[in-house]
């Protein structure tokens, strides 16, 4: 995981570099929970034993919190999301375009998740901008949002996370180049949108949501209310998605498939 030094988050969270980077705020759930622990539960031997448990037991996967599941917006017109709005599983991603580990996830893991789960209608991915590396992070976040206003967010996402892209920086000219590479049709509008109040408000909304959860590092994820920390292996995400989908199906079916 990437962690900026000297950010407002790190000042208010003196233990941000510990193995407990994601604390659920009291406003969301009374009991404080750390993402590091939830992440461990996702891959622990005990959690894998749940596959052999009785199919009649409808229990949420370990480390799942109903309060966090409500964070899914499920807005069918959200340009910063992909997948069916009514998909059984929603994965919320809090990320920064200057974050190396976010880039690793975007290049090495996310495409496989899209192919296996998004395209099949099982998963919806909702992006949340969480710029934590200063002015260029903020500018890139607003630019990504602006690209989304012309239906090119995910293309911009791909261009900004391409190998070596981060090293070129995210100055104004570079962001315009990325928008052009992403196929943004009206570049002048893109620049206006990126500098506008709506972009700033949208980024702040996402950022405030992340900080409200206690997230201090990127990438951070919530899979149907189950927090996961960092650019973990594909199998970790696959297991979380499979378990969430299985639970959702069982909950929808009701006891012994009654549908109640």
């Amino acid at each position: 995981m990437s962690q900026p030094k000297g950010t407002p988050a790190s000042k208010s969270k003196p233990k941000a570099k510990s193995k407990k980077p994601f604390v659920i705020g009291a406003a969301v759930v009374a009991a404080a929970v750390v993402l590091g622990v939830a992440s461990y539960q996702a891959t622990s031997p005990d959690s894998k034993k749940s596959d052999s448990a009785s199919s009649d037991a409808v229990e949420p996967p370990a480390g799942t919190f109903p309060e966090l599941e409500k964070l899914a917006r499920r807005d069918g017109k959200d340009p910063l999301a992909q997948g069916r709005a009514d998909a059984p599983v929603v994965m919320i991603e809090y990320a920064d375009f200057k974050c190396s580990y976010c880039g690793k996830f975007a290049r090495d893991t996310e495409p496989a998740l899209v192919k296996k789960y998004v395209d099949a209608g099982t998963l919806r991915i909702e992006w949340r901008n969480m710029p934590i590396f200063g002015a260029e992070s903020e500018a890139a976040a607003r630019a990504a949002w602006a690209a989304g206003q012309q239906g090119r967010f995910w293309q911009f996402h791909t261009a900004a996370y391409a190998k070596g892209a981060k090293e070129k920086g995210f100055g104004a000219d570079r962001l315009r180049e990325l928008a052009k590479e992403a196929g943004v049709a009206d570049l002048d509008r893109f620049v206006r949108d990126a500098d506008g109040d709506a972009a700033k408000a949208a980024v702040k909304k996402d950022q405030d949501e992340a900080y409200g959860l206690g997230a201090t590092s990127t990438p951070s994820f919530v899979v149907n209310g189950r927090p996961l920390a960092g650019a973990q292996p594909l199998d970790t995400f696959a297991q979380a998605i499979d378990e969430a989908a299985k639970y959702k199906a069982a909950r929808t079916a009701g006891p012994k498939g009654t549908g109640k």
Side-chain angles (χ1 to χ4, degrees):
M1 285 179 295
S2 296
Q3 175 76 38
K5 297 181 178 179
T7 64
S10 63
K11 290 180 180 178
S12 61
K13 304 284 184 179
K15 296 183 179 180
K17 293 184 180 180
S18 72
K19 294 182 180 180
K20 300 180 179 181
F22 192 177
V23 181
I24 308 308
V28 179
V29 59
V33 181
V34 293
L35 185 144
V37 172
S39 176
Y40 166 75
Q41 290 174 333
T43 55
S44 68
D46 288 342
S47 68
K48 295 180 181 179
K49 291 179 182 178
S50 62
D51 292 338
S52 61
S54 170
S55 59
D56 291 337
V58 182
E59 297 182 356
T64 298
F65 302 91
E67 292 82 359
L68 297 186
E69 190 171 359
K70 296 175 185 177
L71 292 173
R73 296 172 185 171
R74 293 187 177 276
D75 179 358
K77 296 181 180 180
D78 184 357
L80 276 63
Q82 57 178 321
R84 289 169 31 193
D86 62 348
V89 183
V90 176
M91 181 177 76
I92 302 171
E93 176 184 1
Y94 300 94
D96 184 318
F97 285 102
K98 290 198 70 174
C99 164
S100 297
Y101 288 104
C102 298
K104 178 177 175 58
F105 172 80
R107 293 189 301 271
D108 300 344
T109 305
E110 194 164 36
L113 295 179
V114 170
K115 183 176 181 180
K116 183 175 181 179
Y117 295 106
V118 176
D119 291 348
T122 301
L123 178 68
R124 174 177 175 83
I125 299 176
E126 295 186 356
W127 171 273
R128 303 283 194 271
N129 278 302
M130 188 182 171
I132 55 177
F133 287 98
E136 283 202 353
S137 288
E138 173 74 20
R142 289 191 275 107
W145 181 89
Q149 302 315 293
Q150 297 188 52
R152 307 302 288 180
F153 169 79
W154 290 103
Q155 291 80 2
F156 184 94
H157 171 279
T158 298
Y161 276 137
K163 196 167 184 179
K166 178 176 73 73
E167 287 70 23
K168 296 180 181 179
F170 293 119
D173 291 342
R174 176 60 179 155
L175 290 172
R176 188 181 177 97
E177 289 177 9
L178 288 171
K180 184 176 181 180
E181 183 179 339
V184 174
D186 188 337
L187 294 178
D188 290 336
R189 177 194 167 188
F190 163 80
V191 172
R192 290 195 304 272
D193 285 346
D195 289 338
D197 291 339
K200 295 174 184 177
V203 171
K204 186 177 187 301
K205 178 181 178 180
D206 289 351
Q207 192 175 46
D208 286 349
E209 180 178 290
Y211 286 149
L213 296 176
T216 59
S217 58
T218 55
S220 291
F221 304 87
V222 177
V223 179
N224 269 23
R226 181 181 184 177
L228 293 173
Q232 298 192 39
L234 174 62
D235 288 348
T236 299
F237 289 98
Q239 180 183 342
I241 294 166
D242 288 340
E243 290 180 354
K246 182 179 179 180
Y247 170 63
K248 190 66 174 286
R251 188 173 60 177
T252 300
K256 297 184 179 178
T258 62
K260 298 180 180 179

